DNA sequence: CACACGATGCGCT
DNA sequence: GCGCATCGTGTGG
């Protein structure tokens, strides 16, 4: 047995969490959103740790469709203006939660909305991600860099796996902005853009 | 204080 | 494709 310290047996689940650091999140929202694809969202629920692979993300800054539109701070969106690497969870339509990760440097609003994950069943769409992962309002404001209960770990992007960039879902304002990213061919993608996929030659 | 509506998902037409 | 559940939030009076 050579000098290999990390085997697949010691590197995978069951070891100490290796949460993404704050420096990962303290970057432009589009960069972070794209970079989260393929990473693993982890949530401790009691003794259990739920893990899922992030496959669809949207970016929100101070654009017209954002809760932080016009860079206006309110009680609800305040966490979007705070330190990067924290959870922004909001309640909507009287029954759903949506989970975001705060981006940009402290004081600059930004968040990446997790819209789809693979690895848990029925997690295409932001509300279903929260339901499947057990994320609710209690997670709002949580620091994801400490790996206490909620965190993200670096993942592998499969060879040849394509990233599709297209418009965001379920908004009216600024719908032309191509601020949604997803991994082509993943089950957890809420809505495919066939036009974009064929334009970039995606096949499967 | 009143009210319109939403970064959704589900069931029915 | 359309209506609707269900309620916190933001905005305006």
């Amino acid at each position: 047995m050579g000098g290999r310290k990390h085997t697949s047996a010691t590197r995978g689940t069951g070891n100490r969490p290796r949460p993404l650091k704050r420096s990962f999140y303290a970057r432009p929202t589009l960069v972070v959103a794209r970079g989260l694809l393929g990473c693993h969202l982890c949530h401790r629920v009691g003794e259990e740790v739920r893990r899922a692979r992030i496959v669809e993300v949207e970016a929100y800054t101070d654009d017209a469709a954002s809760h932080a539109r016009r860079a206006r701070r309110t009680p609800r969106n305040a966490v979007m203006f705070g330190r990067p690497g924290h959870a922004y969870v909001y309640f909507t339509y009287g029954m759903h939660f949506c989970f975001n990760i705060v981006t940009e440097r402290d004081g600059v609003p930004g968040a990446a909305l997790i819209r789809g994950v693979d690895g848990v069943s029925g997690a295409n769409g932001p509300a279903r991600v929260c339901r499947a992962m057990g994320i609710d309002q209690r997670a709002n404001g949580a620091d994801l860099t400490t790996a206490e209960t909620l965190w993200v770990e670096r993942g592998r992007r499969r060879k040849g796996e394509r990233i599709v960039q297209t418009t965001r879902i379920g908004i009216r304002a600024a719908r032309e902005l191509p601020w949604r990213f997803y991994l082509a061919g993943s089950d957890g993608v809420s809505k495919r853009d066939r036009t974009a996929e064929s334009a970039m030659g995606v096949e499967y």
Side-chain angles (χ1 to χ4, degrees), chain A residues 98-177:
Chain A
C98 293
F99 168 64
N100 299 251
I101 304 176
V102 176
T103 59
E104 308 279 352
R105 67 182 194 272
D106 193 3
V108 178
L113 171 68
I114 309 302
R115 286 194 57 93
V117 297
D118 279 353
V120 296
S121 70
N124 54 321
R128 286 191 282 224
V129 167
C130 285
R131 197 181 55 176
M133 294 296 292
I135 296 171
D136 60 29
Q137 196 65 36
R138 292 172 296 180
N140 190 43
D143 188 347
L144 304 186
T145 67
T146 59
E148 300 268 323
T149 60
L150 186 58
W151 69 96
V152 179
E153 295 181 8
R154 192 175 60 213
R156 303 172 168 222
R157 218 137 63 217
R158 288 157 197 146
K159 189 174 180 187
E161 197 169 35
R162 309 290 301 275
I163 295 175
V164 181
Q165 178 172 9
T166 182
T167 52
R168 297 176 293 183
I169 302 280
I171 53 168
R172 315 226 325 150
R175 50 188 317 145
E176 70 283 356
L177 296 177

Side-chain angles (χ1 to χ4, degrees), chain A residues 10-204:
Chain A
T10 60
R11 198 195 305 115
T13 59
N15 276 351
R16 292 278 178 279
R18 298 212 191 299
L20 292 180
K21 292 182 291 200
R22 196 157 335 269
S23 56
F24 176 90
Y25 302 108
R27 295 183 294 161
T29 307
L30 287 170
V31 174
V32 176
R34 189 181 188 284
L36 283 169
L37 293 176
C39 292
H40 297 286
L41 176 61
C42 310
H43 188 211
R44 186 184 309 279
V45 181
E47 296 301 300
E48 169 199 12
V49 175
R50 299 186 191 177
R51 306 177 136 262
R53 186 167 185 261
I54 297 170
V55 298
E56 182 181 353
V57 183
E58 282 180 356
Y60 288 86
T61 60
D62 59 354
D63 60 279
S66 172
H67 291 170
R69 56 186 149 276
R70 301 187 337 166
R72 189 66 153 265
R73 187 192 289 250
T74 69
R76 179 178 64 164
N77 70 19
V79 63
M80 280 184 76
F81 291 75
R83 296 183 80 196
H86 286 249
Y88 171 44
V89 179
Y90 65 89
F91 181 65
T92 191
Y93 292 103
M95 64 187 88
H96 299 304
F97 295 101
C98 293
F99 168 64
N100 299 251
I101 304 176
V102 176
T103 59
E104 308 279 352
R105 67 182 194 272
D106 193 3
V108 178
L113 171 68
I114 309 302
R115 286 194 57 93
V117 297
D118 279 353
V120 296
S121 70
N124 54 321
R128 286 191 282 224
V129 167
C130 285
R131 197 181 55 176
M133 294 296 292
I135 296 171
D136 60 29
Q137 196 65 36
R138 292 172 296 180
N140 190 43
D143 188 347
L144 304 186
T145 67
T146 59
E148 300 268 323
T149 60
L150 186 58
W151 69 96
V152 179
E153 295 181 8
R154 192 175 60 213
R156 303 172 168 222
R157 218 137 63 217
R158 288 157 197 146
K159 189 174 180 187
E161 197 169 35
R162 309 290 301 275
I163 295 175
V164 181
Q165 178 172 9
T166 182
T167 52
R168 297 176 293 183
I169 302 280
I171 53 168
R172 315 226 325 150
R175 50 188 317 145
E176 70 283 356
L177 296 177
W179 286 7
R180 180 166 71 106
F181 302 88
Y182 68 86
L183 294 177
S186 297
D187 291 335
V189 174
S190 62
K191 187 173 188 229
R192 294 175 58 184
D193 181 341
R194 311 260 177 172
T195 306
E197 290 183 20
S198 62
M200 51 188 284
V202 171
E203 289 182 34
Y204 55 100

